[in-house]
Amino acid sequence: MHEFNNNEHPHRRYNPLLDEWILVSPHRAKRPWQGQNEKAADDNRPEHDTECYLCAGNVRANGIQNDNYTDCYVFENDFSALLKDDVFYESDQNKLFQLKPERGINKVICFSPKHNLTLPEMETSEIEKVVQTWAEQYIELGNHDFINYVQIFENKGSVMGCSNPHPHGQIWAQSSLPTQIERTQKNLRFYYEKNKTSLLKDYLEQELELQERIVLENEHFAVVVPFWATWPYETMIISKRHFGNIIAMTSEETKAFADAIKRITTKYDNLFETSFPYSSGIHQTPTDRIAHPEWHFHMHFYPPLLRSATVKKFMVGYEMLGEAQRDLSPEQAAKILRELSEIHYKTKN
């Protein structure tokens, strides 16, 4: 019988945030690839694109002209998935056909007027302005009595379904807790009530002690490849101090959060020397006017690229029907990311 090696032998890992398991098959990273290759991202974009609906001063598809903005620019999504309208619906109480109307507000946040930038190519001070804008929107949207959760996120790259390469993110604020948030909250609350402490604070303290999966850190935040990571180079930014949402940050923590975002996204771009695609988003306390001491501020990055700039991971077959699976172990992924430069490859001479 062989001795177990987590970088060689298949095993399952538990995700305490979602109360689910993932299959890790590190030996499969050696298999040859003859599958689909994605088109590499085109980085040759102008600073201002007259055809771009998000560039400053341009007219969007609905005929509204953008402001001539100089840093962040926020507007309500012209093609919102949610609407503010309150509608009457009488439920028939059928447990097998449950339906409820959903109200909400969708916004777009342009990170910069420069069409040819992405977060890792922006200055830390510019990203800090993005963080401040997120905080302002969290307050503004959360103050609506029908908004109970504010989801801040970014889809970067066409492979992630991003319809416009201009640097931007979105906010979907809605009346219900989204399914992932509801599941996370349930598990955070269970841990907090049992242990009288934050699940992610306890988790991060152990990760910082082990240093196996830590990619980078500063005084206030750490970036870690989670023990239970699903995506090849998935990471989380976790606050070292226990607080629940973005408006609880001090000015120093805001700067440190911007620093962590710039550094991890720069490492991502440097991995395959391409504009690295991902979906990222902040998980934080609901805005339902209820105390949530169980919540601990964190941000997820879910990048799909696996072997190169053109080979991505697919969630298919067993993963759709059984449970999530990954090849590269989280420890291997963390080591690769940790050893990458924090100087963007485009600026190297």
Side-chain angles (χ1 to χ4, degrees):
M1 182 179 291
H2 298 290
E3 185 176 347
F4 174 74
N5 182 329
N6 65 352
N7 287 319
E8 290 291 337
H9 299 122
H11 58 279
R12 296 172 82 212
R13 298 191 183 198
Y14 180 67
N15 180 344
L17 292 178
L18 297 177
D19 187 27
E20 65 183 24
W21 291 82
I22 173 175
L23 177 63
V24 183
S25 310
H27 58 291
R28 276 169 52 92
K30 302 170 185 176
R31 67 184 174 132
W33 179 259
Q34 292 182 310
Q36 177 173 316
N37 288 285
E38 306 297 326
K39 183 180 178 181
D42 179 12
D43 283 346
N44 297 316
R45 304 196 309 272
E47 187 171 301
H48 184 276
D49 185 344
T50 57
E51 300 299 316
C52 172
Y53 292 133
L54 301 183
C55 277
N58 287 359
V59 177
R60 302 201 300 274
N62 62 356
I64 296 176
Q65 185 174 22
N66 296 327
D67 294 347
N68 286 307
Y69 61 95
T70 56
D71 43 50
C72 288
Y73 178 55
V74 183
F75 62 90
E76 286 201 27
N77 198 316
D78 300 327
F79 303 97
S80 293
L82 294 161
L83 301 173
K84 300 176 186 177
D85 305 335
D86 191 9
V87 296
F88 173 76
Y89 173 72
E90 188 172 353
S91 173
D92 61 7
Q93 302 300 315
N94 188 319
K95 295 295 183 182
L96 297 179
F97 298 95
Q98 295 188 51
L99 180 154
K100 62 187 287 288
E102 188 70 11
R103 297 175 70 190
I105 302 169
N106 293 164
K107 290 195 175 186
V108 174
I109 300 180
C110 296
F111 300 151
S112 168
K114 294 183 179 180
H115 183 77
N116 58 344
L117 292 184
T118 58
L119 285 175
E121 298 169 274
M122 293 168 59
E123 298 295 328
T124 305
S125 59
E126 295 173 320
I127 300 174
E128 186 180 349
K129 176 62 179 175
V130 174
V131 176
Q132 291 167 347
T133 303
W134 286 338
E136 291 164 2
Q137 290 300 311
Y138 178 84
I139 295 171
E140 179 184 318
L141 292 166
N143 280 338
H144 289 275
D145 59 6
F146 64 94
I147 296 297
N148 289 306
Y149 195 75
V150 177
Q151 181 60 66
I152 297 165
F153 67 96
E154 178 194 7
N155 292 325
K156 181 191 174 194
S158 59
V159 71
M160 301 307 296
C162 181
S163 60
N164 190 312
H166 192 101
H168 74 285
Q170 298 185 56
I171 301 179
W172 289 21
Q174 63 187 98
S175 52
S176 298
L177 295 190
T179 301
Q180 294 288 317
I181 302 305
E182 194 168 43
R183 290 176 65 189
T184 300
Q185 177 167 283
K186 177 183 176 182
N187 295 306
L188 291 176
R189 180 183 292 154
F190 178 81
Y191 187 94
Y192 185 85
E193 290 176 350
K194 181 180 179 181
N195 300 286
K196 307 304 178 188
T197 185
S198 155
L199 185 158
L200 282 178
K201 187 175 192 301
D202 288 353
Y203 168 71
L204 182 59
E205 286 175 353
Q206 293 183 53
E207 286 285 20
L208 289 169
E209 185 176 338
L210 292 168
Q211 287 293 314
E212 279 186 292
R213 289 168 293 272
I214 297 294
V215 176
L216 62 90
E217 62 177 300
N218 57 34
E219 184 179 356
H220 299 290
F221 291 89
V223 179
V224 59
V225 176
F227 177 78
W228 53 83
T230 297
W231 296 93
Y233 293 97
E234 176 182 333
T235 59
M236 289 173 66
I237 302 178
I238 309 175
S239 61
K240 292 183 177 180
R241 181 173 69 88
H242 175 50
F243 61 88
N245 57 55
I246 198 167
I247 61 175
M249 283 188 195
T250 65
S251 59
E252 289 304 309
E253 285 169 330
T254 299
K255 292 176 183 176
F257 185 43
D259 170 73
I261 291 172
K262 179 174 177 61
R263 291 167 66 191
I264 186 56
T265 55
T266 297
K267 283 178 176 287
Y268 277 154
D269 277 14
N270 286 344
L271 180 58
F272 299 129
E273 294 198 347
T274 190
S275 186
F276 204 76
Y278 57 73
S279 281
S280 67
I282 294 170
H283 278 177
Q284 56 189 328
T285 54
T287 56
D288 53 6
R289 288 150 283 280
I290 298 172
H292 288 286
E294 72 276 13
W295 272 93
H296 190 110
F297 182 87
H298 59 287
M299 184 175 189
H300 294 278
F301 283 84
Y302 299 133
L305 296 186
L306 175 58
R307 297 165 180 248
S308 71
T310 60
V311 177
K312 73 171 186 176
K313 174 181 175 60
F314 290 89
M315 286 285 193
V316 295
Y318 177 85
E319 292 159 301
M320 297 178 74
L321 299 166
E323 65 186 13
Q325 182 271 341
R326 64 177 290 126
D327 294 347
L328 191 69
S329 76
E331 293 74 31
Q332 291 168 325
K335 184 177 186 296
I336 291 168
L337 289 173
R338 188 165 53 242
E339 293 176 353
L340 289 168
S341 172
E342 294 183 6
I343 300 172
H344 198 277
Y345 73 93
K346 288 185 181 179
T347 65
K348 290 180 180 178
N349 294 321

